[in-house]
Amino acid sequence: MALETLHDLFIHELRDLYDAEQQIITGLPLMARAAKSAPLRKLFEEHLKETSDQIDRLDRLFAALDVSFTGRSCKAMQGLLAEAREVIQEDADPEVLDAALIVAAQKIEHYEIAGYGSVRTFARELGYKDAERLLEQTLKEEFAADEKLTRAAESRVNQRAATADQASV
Amino acid sequence: MALETLHDLFIHELRDLYDAEQQIITGLPLMARAAKSAPLRKLFEEHLKETSDQIDRLDRLFAALDVSFTGRSCKAMQGLLAEAREVIQEDADPEVLDAALIVAAQKIEHYEIAGYGSVRTFARELGYKDAERLLEQTLKEEFAADEKLTRAAESRVNQRAATADQASV
């Protein structure tokens, strides 16, 4: 049976997140290059570094659990990054493109928040203390990254886009 | 230019959410049928009703904005629902399947939280008061649905799965 125990589901979801993070490592540099404002580009670049740390943590977890990290292809992240690439290729006003990139990035962050939130809870239920601690650390980073994107969306980038919008009416 | 103004991006994201909701209307009944515990099934069924209301709100918004709701295919939701269907088809212990369905549902909720959060902010920036109010209402429902799933995950369903897990070791 593929999902006989909560431990099986825990591994299943960790592998999904591992594949998702690998996809993000490839996709995030494209988003950073496409960003028009320097602060947004910096935000993406900083999160790229965090993503590497998060992959390292997953690597440590898989080693400790003595299981392979392969076996899952995260279809949701494929869809999320396909949408980000679509936005990058759109003919767009620079400020509006930045606002669109923030939306794409927040959708990606929220996938990770849901994913890491779940495996953190499973680790707690299963009594895997070290795993819980590592996953909690990543979860906090994802919440913080989402919060930074919200602040970026609510302040400068969107205000500029609104100004561009009014100017064009 | 496809995304010349923030208004363009607002419509672009509303269409994405409209397609996402239509996909959920098709996918959620499958998840409800697959759920083994009655409370989880009820939770999915209740959210199906809410999803209908949310589509009605989007319909009203598109009518008020005098634009078509078509034109976007939400690839992220295709991926999210593909993962939910994969889980349903797995050979799984009933309690573990319920825990897996909760994960899939929370990932779907978080996509909507990020999406509705963004368009609500855009509506505010653009001064579209009625749109902001409608989108805020849906956003609150999505947060509440996610919270209910978290409670379900942290309490009964996962406890059972952990018990099943310990029994199998």
Side-chain angles (χ1 to χ4, degrees):
Chain A
M1 196 184 278
L3 295 177
E4 191 173 350
T5 66
L6 191 63
H7 173 86
D8 295 338
L9 180 58
F10 179 62
I11 302 298
H12 178 276
E13 291 299 326
L14 284 179
R15 284 177 177 154
D16 178 273
L17 283 165
Y18 194 85
D19 185 69
E21 296 283 22
Q22 295 290 349
Q23 290 185 50
I24 291 169
I25 283 283
T26 311
L28 206 48
L30 306 178
M31 294 170 75
R33 273 201 293 277
K36 302 298 174 187
S37 87
L40 184 60
R41 198 177 317 127
K42 194 164 166 257
L43 214 159
F44 287 151
E45 285 165 356
E46 281 169 2
H47 194 56
L48 189 63
K49 277 189 217 155
E50 274 182 341
T51 303
S52 286
D53 295 341
Q54 292 166 358
I55 290 175
D56 285 348
R57 269 176 225 138
L58 289 175
D59 273 327
R60 276 190 277 161
L61 252 173
F62 284 115
L65 291 160
D66 197 21
V67 292
S68 150
F69 52 77
T70 57
R72 293 283 306 158
S73 164
C74 181
K75 290 195 174 69
M77 192 53 68
Q78 285 167 9
L80 288 161
L81 286 169
E83 290 194 359
R85 279 193 299 272
E86 271 178 22
V87 155
I88 291 170
Q89 284 158 10
E90 287 281 11
D91 187 14
D93 170 88
E95 273 78 22
V96 177
L97 175 65
D98 277 2
L101 285 171
I102 291 174
V103 177
Q106 287 202 288
K107 288 173 175 174
I108 290 168
E109 282 312 311
H110 271 274
Y111 183 84
E112 296 193 279
I113 287 169
Y116 280 108
S118 299
V119 288
R120 188 272 324 261
T121 302
F122 292 158
R124 188 180 294 161
E125 298 273 344
L126 290 161
Y128 299 167
K129 300 268 182 228
D130 289 348
E132 185 187 344
R133 190 180 45 76
L134 283 175
L135 295 168
E136 179 73 32
Q137 199 176 341
T138 297
L139 184 59
K140 278 186 185 161
E141 286 173 3
E142 303 294 4
F143 270 118
D146 181 56
E147 182 56 36
K148 281 180 206 163
L149 288 164
T150 296
R151 280 204 298 273
E154 284 179 352
S155 65
R156 209 189 48 77
V157 177
N158 279 2
Q159 272 172 12
R160 279 209 195 180
T163 311
D165 197 39
Q166 282 157 9
S168 75
V169 172
Chain B
M1 196 185 277
L3 294 177
E4 191 173 351
T5 67
L6 192 63
H7 172 86
D8 295 339
L9 180 58
F10 179 62
I11 302 298
H12 177 276
E13 291 299 326
L14 283 179
R15 285 176 177 154
D16 178 273
L17 283 164
Y18 194 85
D19 184 71
E21 296 283 23
Q22 296 290 350
Q23 290 185 49
I24 291 169
I25 283 282
T26 312
L28 206 48
L30 306 178
M31 294 170 74
R33 273 202 293 278
K36 301 299 175 188
S37 87
L40 183 60
R41 199 177 316 126
K42 194 163 166 258
L43 214 158
F44 287 151
E45 285 165 355
E46 282 170 2
H47 193 57
L48 189 62
K49 276 189 218 156
E50 274 181 340
T51 304
S52 287
D53 294 341
Q54 292 166 357
I55 290 174
D56 285 348
R57 269 177 226 137
L58 288 176
D59 273 327
R60 276 190 277 161
L61 251 173
F62 285 114
L65 291 160
D66 197 22
V67 293
S68 150
F69 52 76
T70 57
R72 294 282 308 158
S73 164
C74 181
K75 291 195 174 69
M77 192 54 67
Q78 285 168 9
L80 288 161
L81 286 169
E83 290 194 358
R85 279 193 300 273
E86 271 177 23
V87 155
I88 291 170
Q89 284 158 10
E90 288 280 10
D91 187 13
D93 171 87
E95 274 79 21
V96 177
L97 176 65
D98 277 2
L101 286 171
I102 291 173
V103 177
Q106 287 202 288
K107 287 174 175 174
I108 290 168
E109 283 312 310
H110 272 275
Y111 183 84
E112 296 194 279
I113 287 169
Y116 280 108
S118 298
V119 288
R120 187 271 326 260
T121 302
F122 292 158
R124 188 180 294 160
E125 298 274 344
L126 290 161
Y128 298 168
K129 301 268 181 225
D130 288 349
E132 185 187 343
R133 191 180 45 76
L134 284 176
L135 295 168
E136 180 72 31
Q137 200 176 340
T138 297
L139 184 60
K140 277 185 185 162
E141 287 173 3
E142 303 295 3
F143 271 118
D146 181 57
E147 182 56 36
K148 281 180 206 163
L149 288 164
T150 297
R151 280 204 297 274
E154 284 179 353
S155 64
R156 209 189 48 77
V157 178
N158 279 2
Q159 273 173 11
R160 278 209 194 180
T163 311
D165 196 41
Q166 282 157 9
S168 75
V169 172

